[in-house]
Amino acid sequence: THPKPQEALPSPKARVAPPLPPAPASAVFGVEMQPRGGFTLTVGTERYDVTSRFSWPRGDFNVLAAAASAKCEPTWKPAARKAGEHEYAVEARGAHYAVSRRLLVKPDHVVVRDTVSNTSAADLGLFIAHELDLRGKAFDRHFVSGAEGIGRRKEDPCPSAFVGRKGLGLALLPVDDLFVIQAQVAVEPDLLGVGTEEFALAPGKSYTFEWAVYVNTSGDYYDFVNAFRRNEGRIGAVDGGLAFITKGPFDRRTIPDA
């Protein structure tokens, strides 16, 4: 018939979409603190070393890792200890700065808080990098700051590094605001990485970075995103009008006309 009969519209109170699937079960994983200040993530029979590097002026990098590095300053001697049932602490000091780490093991992720203190009498600039070793592991899903594929990105609005496969997803991301703004993210066949090459401290000042490693059992990027949003309390209703406006890191540096 012509015109085509208009279909009856459902009531605004009617539910026309099925409920969302339940969140995947939390992964079973362990954390082994290493004597040199790094840590190892264990998932089943697989082991993933997590290493942190902190530059030192006119030199190389001091590291928190599973093994000692010949490139560290002679005074760099990390000391790790268990600080609670699900908490570890690391203290390390070089000639120019000190790093105090607190590591918290949660049901679906690991929280790392690194307090960097400038112990020198001069301004201090640092390169900082955290890397999760993927060598010898096979993953078929890769996301760098939400974009599918392998690569490096800088100052993205939602920086994160993710790999997944059937039964396992791993993510590395910055959490505190400054780290999010400065973050450089890497997803490569052999590693996940997040760091900054823009950090500086005045003499006697300290700053605490927060970053995290997430584990899931689905291997799905968006399950990781939803887990992070739940843990950070970022899931909720938006009342009123809504608009999506494209913004980038450059816009943070511009001042709107009065």
Side-chain angles (χ1 to χ4, degrees), residues 153-218:
R153 300 183 69 146
K154 180 179 179 180
E155 295 186 348
D156 270 324
C158 51
S160 64
F162 177 88
V163 290
R165 68 179 186 229
K166 184 178 180 180
L168 179 62
L170 298 172
L172 182 66
L173 77 161
V175 177
D176 69 273
D177 289 346
L178 183 142
F179 204 4
V180 168
I181 292 171
Q182 294 187 356
Q184 298 191 40
V185 178
V187 177
E188 298 181 356
D190 290 340
L191 67 82
L192 299 181
V194 63
T196 173
E197 296 181 350
E198 302 178 10
F199 181 69
L201 272 178
K205 298 298 183 181
S206 299
Y207 184 79
T208 299
F209 289 92
E210 183 173 340
W211 52 283
V213 180
Y214 271 73
V215 187
N216 70 30
T217 57
S218 68

Side-chain angles (χ1 to χ4, degrees), residues 2-257:
H2 184 79
K4 183 179 179 180
Q6 184 175 3
E7 296 182 6
L9 297 176
S11 164
K13 297 181 180 180
R15 294 182 178 272
V16 295
L20 294 174
S26 295
V28 177
F29 68 93
V31 171
E32 295 178 6
M33 202 69 204
Q34 302 298 340
R36 300 298 301 178
F39 64 96
T40 300
L41 192 72
T42 60
V43 185
T45 60
E46 293 187 335
R47 299 171 62 84
Y48 299 86
D49 289 336
V50 182
T51 298
S52 298
R53 297 184 289 118
F54 304 84
S55 67
W56 48 282
R58 296 173 295 280
D60 210 294
F61 284 86
N62 292 319
V63 300
L64 298 178
S69 171
K71 298 180 180 180
C72 296
E73 293 179 285
T75 58
W76 184 260
K77 293 178 171 45
R81 62 181 174 85
K82 192 172 178 63
E85 184 177 0
H86 303 292
E87 182 177 357
Y88 298 88
V90 179
E91 304 293 336
R93 179 179 290 268
H96 307 273
Y97 59 86
V99 175
S100 178
R101 167 170 290 182
R102 292 297 181 269
L103 186 147
L104 304 172
V105 183
K106 304 289 186 179
D108 59 357
H109 67 292
V110 180
V111 178
V112 185
R113 298 188 180 108
D114 291 332
T115 300
V116 181
S117 301
N118 182 355
T119 58
S120 74
D123 292 337
L124 177 69
L126 289 178
F127 287 5
I128 300 172
H130 309 293
E131 297 173 347
L132 189 152
D133 191 349
L134 298 175
R135 286 177 294 180
K137 315 298 193 304
F139 291 90
D140 53 16
R141 304 165 199 165
H142 304 80
F143 288 83
V144 52
S145 295
E148 192 167 5
I150 290 175
R152 291 176 176 262
R153 300 183 69 146
K154 180 179 179 180
E155 295 186 348
D156 270 324
C158 51
S160 64
F162 177 88
V163 290
R165 68 179 186 229
K166 184 178 180 180
L168 179 62
L170 298 172
L172 182 66
L173 77 161
V175 177
D176 69 273
D177 289 346
L178 183 142
F179 204 4
V180 168
I181 292 171
Q182 294 187 356
Q184 298 191 40
V185 178
V187 177
E188 298 181 356
D190 290 340
L191 67 82
L192 299 181
V194 63
T196 173
E197 296 181 350
E198 302 178 10
F199 181 69
L201 272 178
K205 298 298 183 181
S206 299
Y207 184 79
T208 299
F209 289 92
E210 183 173 340
W211 52 283
V213 180
Y214 271 73
V215 187
N216 70 30
T217 57
S218 68
D220 187 89
Y221 168 75
Y222 292 101
D223 285 337
F224 145 63
V225 171
N226 286 333
F228 175 74
R229 293 175 66 209
R230 282 193 300 271
N231 291 330
E232 294 297 313
R234 300 182 186 179
I235 295 180
V238 178
D239 295 327
L242 178 65
F244 290 95
I245 302 173
T246 301
K247 291 287 183 180
F250 177 78
D251 298 287
R252 303 189 185 109
R253 302 184 175 92
T254 59
I255 300 175
D257 295 334

